[in-house]
Amino acid sequence: MNNIRNFCIIAHIDHGKSTLADRLLETTQTVFGKDLQAQVLDNMDLERERGITIKSHAIQMEYIHKGEKYFLNLIDTPGHVDFSYEVSRSIAACEGALLLVDATQGIQAQTISNLYLAIDNNLEIIPVVNKIDMPNANPEEIEDQIVDIFGISREDIIRASGKTGEGIEAILEAVINRVPAPTGNPEAPLQCLVFDSVFNSFRGIIAYFKVVNGTICKGDKVKFFNTGKEYIADEIGILKMNMQERDTLSAGNVGYIISGIKTSSEVKVGDTLTHVKPSCEKAIEGFEEVKPMVFAGVYPIVNEDFEDLRSSIEKLQLNDASLTFVPESSAALGFGFRCGFLGLLHMEIIQERLDREFDMDVITTVPNVEYRVHTKKGEILDVYTPSELPDITYIDYIEEPFIKGTIITRSDYFGSVMTLCLSKRGELRKQEYITPTRVELQFDMPLGEIVFDFYDKLKSISKGYASFDYYMNGFREAKLAKLDILLNGEPVDALSTLLHADNAYNLGRKMCEKLKELIPRQQFDIAIQAAIGSKIIARETIKALRKDVTAKCYGGDISRKRKLLEKQKKGKKKMKQIGNVEVPQKAFLAVLKLD
């Protein structure tokens, strides 16, 4: 145990975590030859295309230091705020963390957020200034920022480059010398923390765990503490570039277990794995349940695919524990699921993974957040969709979720960032100059205002320099309205939204105009209306296609033509009574892109 080190790499997005991990694997000769490629741990096509890490990746390295062999378990984590749950799971399985700061960009919002997460879990922090080989690198100034903000002494900071390999040996030595060895008793009853899982169509569910106490052997009878389900450990082993089988794993080790589990609900990330006899007395504490931020309906395009979609989402949930889902139905779209996501990028990635990994074409409805409705009877209801909202006569008041947001940007863009936040009903709580050219802003803001396009707009107005991080900050009473879209007097529940009353008129008008462009013309007039309760606030009309019924009348009296037109008029009236309006899929997605 004294020669085991468990550590992770944490940083803001695009600060070079995956590239630094490549150099560590190359230096320790864990990966060599044709396996050595850029971002070697990012094994998903989607990660390589976008250049971001979506999943945490665990791998074991061996390193000789002063004649002794050390086993270093490394976990590379994502940097985007939408995948912070992955980071929290990785931190729970480690004793130390490499905190990366880009020598060209400096400290950003997610750097601070991830650092506090690591400190809360009592991790040993090793600060690393990365990308020092870049022409515009400014390591002295970045080191000053680290010393000022984090209170870390300058001697503890390591300068490195993931591209050239400079400073890699110093990082490995710091991990061995500064990160404590895992604590635990190999003789105690078995306690393993399950921090990830993955579905394999041949082997069933593979769970990744860290042995906190005790020893696990191949063939042992084991059980999950919270679900109580019992299994036999058919295969256990360590995580290298591929899984490597072992006969025993004792306290401090990180590994995997295959026991032929077929049902995804039986494996919970954060659960404790123990022996059937003797089992541990209590589960490992400190693992938080995920709290989704954004809710959206996910529906199969063909209703017959409902069960296939369910099994696809269950398998995806094994690999991404931050995804939550419950079944729901919609009059417009049939049967589907109400899914909870950590943010809009997370929602986009899940949609993309359903398509690529499971070949599922889905429609995603307008994202919503959770609202809290207080009725006049004194009841409190949690509402996730506008269709769940009770009648307005029963509602006393509605509360919406607020976030505390931190934005770090260059001072040149200070004015435009302030304007954006205030336009989203933000309240400035604090502003502070970290350096003469960088400013930190803290806002209280409704979560419903940031789920659509806030992050995109922030990146646009700051030319990509602003960084954003947020966490939940309770609920507040708000003047909210339910905006319904009616087609020929019939409400379309998939297009309904809950929003602030001041924004309802503008959005209603824009939605009507957009739908007028997207809905194909019929042989009768289609009325598109936006309504709040029984009050119509906007209307557009799609004019009917007119068939030229008088084309065959090449002469004669006008009464012949009038007779044909009157006959057409009666037919159109009847058609309108029984006519059904087809809404194309792109109409549901177009609502997201409304400015």
Side-chain angles (χ1 to χ4, degrees), residues 8 70 74 94 102 106 123 129 135 178-179 181 308 348 351 403 405 424-425 444 500 512 517 525 536 586:
C8 58
Y70 286 86
L74 157 71
C94 294
D102 190 324
L123 264 62
V129 177
R178 284 154 64 177
V179 174
D308 291 345
E348 203 181 312
Q351 208 173 340
I403 56 141
K424 297 283 187 184
R425 298 191 285 132
D444 281 353
H500 198 264
C512 288
E517 291 171 27
D525 284 0
I536 305 295
K586 58 185 176 186

Side-chain angles (χ1 to χ4, degrees), residues 527-561:
I528 304 170
Q529 296 166 310
I532 295 175
S534 56
K535 184 183 175 187
I536 305 295
I537 58 168
R539 175 186 168 125
E540 292 287 338
T541 307
I542 301 174
K543 299 307 285 180
L545 282 168
R546 184 172 176 273
K547 186 181 175 187
D548 191 359
V549 290
T550 60
K552 60 188 176 185
C553 296
Y554 47 85
D557 189 42
I558 186 69
S559 59
R560 285 183 68 205
K561 291 185 178 180

Side-chain angles (χ1 to χ4, degrees), residues 6-26:
N6 300 316
F7 70 103
C8 58
I9 306 180
I10 55 174
H12 190 83
I13 192 167
D14 201 30
H15 279 208
K17 294 179 293 300
S18 298
T19 312
L20 190 81
D22 290 351
R23 295 292 79 73
L24 291 168
L25 295 173
E26 186 183 10

Side-chain angles (χ1 to χ4, degrees), residues 169-393:
E169 296 279 354
I171 290 172
L172 289 166
E173 286 184 19
V175 166
I176 289 165
N177 296 328
R178 284 154 64 177
V179 174
T183 55
N185 181 1
E187 306 302 322
L190 181 68
Q191 264 187 324
C192 304
L193 173 70
V194 178
F195 66 88
D196 204 354
S197 58
V198 63
F199 180 80
N200 182 302
S201 48
F202 301 106
R203 310 293 304 272
I205 292 157
I206 303 169
Y208 299 156
F209 60 85
K210 177 195 175 184
V211 188
V212 177
N213 282 311
T215 302
I216 183 170
C217 302
K218 184 179 176 178
D220 281 356
K221 274 194 167 184
V222 294
K223 70 171 183 180
F224 288 101
F225 197 88
N226 289 332
T227 60
K229 299 283 184 183
E230 298 182 6
Y231 304 99
I232 291 172
D234 296 333
E235 185 183 313
I236 58 168
I238 57 166
L239 298 157
K240 289 235 171 176
M241 205 47 210
N242 298 309
M243 296 186 290
Q244 291 190 3
E245 202 175 335
R246 294 285 186 273
D247 289 330
T248 60
L249 289 174
S250 59
N253 270 298
V254 172
Y256 71 90
I257 179 169
I258 299 173
S259 48
I261 308 168
K262 295 286 186 286
T263 314
S264 54
S265 58
E266 292 175 15
V267 178
K268 292 263 188 297
V269 167
D271 203 347
T272 302
L273 187 70
T274 184
H275 281 133
V276 174
K277 284 181 184 174
S279 65
C280 59
E281 290 177 12
K282 59 176 184 175
I284 299 164
E285 293 175 359
F287 210 89
E288 291 180 12
E289 274 290 311
V290 62
K291 188 87 172 98
M293 298 281 188
V294 178
F295 296 88
V298 175
Y299 294 85
I301 286 174
V302 184
N303 274 339
E304 286 77 49
D305 291 344
F306 175 73
E307 284 302 326
D308 291 345
L309 180 61
R310 182 199 291 274
S311 70
S312 301
I313 293 178
E314 282 178 354
K315 287 169 187 173
L316 200 54
Q317 192 185 36
L318 278 173
N319 200 233
D320 185 349
S322 53
L323 171 67
T324 61
F325 68 97
V326 289
E328 71 164 9
S329 63
S330 152
L333 300 169
F335 292 103
F337 297 95
R338 162 103 342 217
C339 295
F341 306 98
L342 295 184
L344 275 193
L345 177 69
H346 186 215
M347 177 175 137
E348 203 181 312
I349 294 292
I350 292 293
Q351 208 173 340
E352 191 83 25
R353 287 183 71 185
L354 280 171
D355 182 27
R356 289 186 186 209
E357 296 174 27
F358 303 100
D359 205 20
M360 291 298 310
D361 281 334
V362 293
I363 297 173
T364 309
T365 63
V366 182
N368 280 300
V369 294
E370 176 190 356
Y371 293 97
R372 200 168 277 172
V373 177
H374 294 255
T375 63
K376 288 179 178 172
K377 289 182 180 177
E379 298 171 330
I380 299 172
L381 308 173
D382 288 338
V383 171
Y384 301 99
T385 61
S387 57
E388 292 175 8
L389 201 69
D391 193 88
I392 199 157
T393 52

Side-chain angles (χ1 to χ4, degrees), residues 334-579:
F335 292 103
F337 297 95
R338 162 103 342 217
C339 295
F341 306 98
L342 295 184
L344 275 193
L345 177 69
H346 186 215
M347 177 175 137
E348 203 181 312
I349 294 292
I350 292 293
Q351 208 173 340
E352 191 83 25
R353 287 183 71 185
L354 280 171
D355 182 27
R356 289 186 186 209
E357 296 174 27
F358 303 100
D359 205 20
M360 291 298 310
D361 281 334
V362 293
I363 297 173
T364 309
T365 63
V366 182
N368 280 300
V369 294
E370 176 190 356
Y371 293 97
R372 200 168 277 172
V373 177
H374 294 255
T375 63
K376 288 179 178 172
K377 289 182 180 177
E379 298 171 330
I380 299 172
L381 308 173
D382 288 338
V383 171
Y384 301 99
T385 61
S387 57
E388 292 175 8
L389 201 69
D391 193 88
I392 199 157
T393 52
Y394 297 111
I395 297 172
D396 186 13
Y397 62 95
I398 305 174
E399 291 181 318
E400 65 176 337
F402 263 67
I403 56 141
K404 190 179 280 292
T406 304
I407 297 170
I408 298 177
T409 183
R410 279 176 38 175
S411 45
D412 317 4
Y413 310 114
F414 175 74
S416 47
V417 170
M418 279 281 283
T419 308
L420 173 67
C421 293
L422 295 172
S423 73
K424 297 283 187 184
R425 298 191 285 132
E427 298 167 14
L428 182 65
R429 285 281 171 242
K430 180 183 163 192
Q431 77 182 60
E432 186 181 341
Y433 277 87
I434 300 173
T435 68
T437 56
R438 289 162 69 77
V439 62
E440 180 187 334
L441 302 170
Q442 281 189 7
F443 277 92
D444 281 353
M445 209 182 297
L447 179 62
E449 294 284 348
I450 68 158
V451 298
F452 284 108
D453 56 358
F454 177 80
Y455 196 68
D456 294 341
K457 282 186 174 173
L458 180 68
K459 285 291 178 191
S460 300
I461 60 175
S462 65
K463 297 188 172 54
Y465 279 103
S467 61
F468 177 58
D469 182 44
Y470 62 89
Y471 60 88
M472 291 298 290
N473 193 24
F475 284 75
R476 292 192 200 173
E477 190 178 338
K479 187 180 159 194
L480 297 170
K482 180 189 175 189
L483 179 71
D484 285 314
I485 299 295
L486 313 175
L487 295 179
N488 277 349
E490 291 294 317
V492 183
D493 56 356
L495 290 173
S496 298
T497 49
L498 259 177
L499 73 168
H500 198 264
D502 296 349
N503 302 337
Y505 173 72
N506 282 336
L507 184 68
R509 190 167 45 78
K510 284 175 183 168
M511 282 173 84
C512 288
E513 288 168 2
K514 195 74 181 170
L515 289 169
K516 185 181 178 181
E517 291 171 27
L518 295 169
I519 293 174
R521 289 171 73 188
Q522 312 280 340
Q523 295 218 343
F524 52 90
D525 284 0
I526 301 171
I528 304 170
Q529 296 166 310
I532 295 175
S534 56
K535 184 183 175 187
I536 305 295
I537 58 168
R539 175 186 168 125
E540 292 287 338
T541 307
I542 301 174
K543 299 307 285 180
L545 282 168
R546 184 172 176 273
K547 186 181 175 187
D548 191 359
V549 290
T550 60
K552 60 188 176 185
C553 296
Y554 47 85
D557 189 42
I558 186 69
S559 59
R560 285 183 68 205
K561 291 185 178 180
R562 193 167 287 141
K563 188 178 171 187
L564 287 167
L565 290 168
E566 286 297 324
K567 191 177 174 186
Q568 184 190 35
K569 200 172 175 182
K570 278 183 190 170
K572 286 216 168 172
K573 193 173 179 185
K574 188 181 175 190
M575 188 184 284
K576 189 171 182 180
Q577 285 169 355
I578 60 170

